[in-house]
Amino acid sequence: MKNVDMREPTFMVLAALANGRKHGYALIGEAGELSNGRVKLKVGTLYAALDRLQSQGLVASAGEEVIDGRLRRYYELTDSGAMLLEDEVSRLEGNIRQAKARLRLRAAAGRVS
Amino acid sequence: MKNVDMREPTFMVLAALANGRKHGYALIGEAGELSNGRVKLKVGTLYAALDRLQSQGLVASAGEEVIDGRLRRYYELTDSGAMLLEDEVSRLEGNIRQAKARLRLRAAAGRVS
DNA sequence: CGACCATAGTCAGTCTGTCGATATATATCG
DNA sequence: CGATATATATCGACAGACTGACTATGGTCG
């Protein structure tokens, strides 16, 4: 197992694609929803991430359509992308479990809020 | 709320300090435990993170001792460091909740796992 | 004695993601 | 018509984290 070290925007892209194919621009909105408006994906970040993830085989293109004269290029998560996302999720879960346990000890020991 | 964008080693340092002061070298071991041996902190990473976190007021030095003729320099989490770690934890929790929900849909919708 | 562990650091370099700016095209709203 | 929103995409620059290699000292083990 290699080091993943995924940043938030990248995580958002994968997560947004986890429930079905989407086109690039739509991901910007999805990332906003996923994070309660915290993360506003920038286009530069988005397409760079998409390229990178494709070259790593985590995301694949999934057809194009023309809607109202505007091109939409779709992307989907590959199986390997889904697996990576799952791994990342469990890794994070483990980390936060530990962090919370320790924070609880700290709160118990030192009171205050 | 600003963008934190913390990487794993940094997170580990904060989490390891959350339940009480520790000296630098001890953090290497702690990080290993915290992550089931996944993360092996490098000294360079460690002291760089410690410096950075101190300059951000998230970690403070907490005295020194000489044990068996060897110097130990202790560090502790500041209140503001603890708050940041809490924020980071909730942020991650939200992210993984969403990601898991979407991964579930994907599994339900389609093929294999 | 020499090797090795514990403990403290420093520093130059690398990597890589993210950002901001820029460009292009169409549809729509006022 | 011009602005704005949808949609695509590229590119250079920047910041920051991480790594690897190095130095140093005091124990301990063989």
Side-chain angles (χ1 to χ4, degrees):
Chain A
M1 309 172 194
K2 56 190 60 170
N3 225 18
V4 194
D5 196 21
M6 195 181 303
R7 312 263 245 291
E8 199 170 29
T10 302
F11 182 92
M12 286 302 172
V13 169
L14 292 182
L17 285 175
N19 65 336
R21 67 168 204 162
K22 302 210 172 49
H23 60 102
Y25 201 78
L27 294 173
I28 295 175
E30 285 278 313
E33 281 180 40
L34 274 174
S35 63
N36 276 318
R38 260 201 6 271
V39 178
K40 171 98 182 80
L41 275 188
K42 310 298 155 56
V43 288
T45 307
L46 172 65
Y47 289 107
L50 250 12
D51 285 351
R52 186 177 5 110
L53 293 170
Q54 276 187 96
S55 82
Q56 294 168 187
L58 305 171
V59 162
S61 43
E64 339 191 318
E65 278 177 31
V66 175
I67 307 280
D68 283 329
R70 291 190 212 92
L71 178 66
R72 285 184 177 180
R73 190 156 285 157
Y74 287 87
Y75 299 91
E76 67 184 0
L77 209 54
T78 63
D79 286 345
S80 129
M83 281 189 292
L84 183 93
L85 183 56
E86 268 160 22
D87 285 356
E88 174 74 359
V89 164
S90 1
R91 186 178 67 94
L92 292 174
E93 278 181 325
N95 286 170
I96 71 181
R97 227 185 66 248
Q98 298 290 340
K100 285 175 83 170
R102 280 175 156 72
L103 280 167
R104 241 179 281 121
L105 289 179
R106 174 191 166 87
R111 239 214 39 232
V112 190
S113 71
Chain B
M1 308 176 195
K2 55 190 60 170
N3 226 15
V4 193
D5 196 23
M6 195 182 303
R7 312 263 249 286
E8 198 169 30
T10 302
F11 182 93
M12 286 304 173
V13 170
L14 291 182
L17 286 175
N19 65 335
R21 65 170 205 162
K22 304 211 168 48
H23 60 101
Y25 202 78
L27 293 173
I28 295 175
E30 284 279 312
E33 282 180 38
L34 274 174
S35 63
N36 277 318
R38 263 201 3 271
V39 178
K40 172 97 182 81
L41 276 187
K42 312 296 157 55
V43 288
T45 307
L46 172 66
Y47 289 108
L50 248 15
D51 284 352
R52 184 173 9 106
L53 293 170
Q54 277 187 96
S55 81
Q56 294 167 187
L58 304 172
V59 162
S61 43
E64 340 191 317
E65 278 178 30
V66 175
I67 307 278
D68 283 328
R70 294 190 210 90
L71 178 66
R72 286 184 175 179
R73 189 157 285 157
Y74 287 87
Y75 298 91
E76 68 186 357
L77 209 54
T78 63
D79 287 343
S80 129
M83 282 189 290
L84 184 93
L85 182 57
E86 269 161 21
D87 284 356
E88 174 76 359
V89 164
S90 1
R91 186 178 67 96
L92 292 174
E93 278 182 325
N95 286 171
I96 72 181
R97 227 184 71 249
Q98 298 290 340
K100 285 174 85 170
R102 278 176 158 71
L103 281 166
R104 239 178 283 122
L105 288 178
R106 175 191 165 89
R111 48 256 107 154
V112 283
S113 61

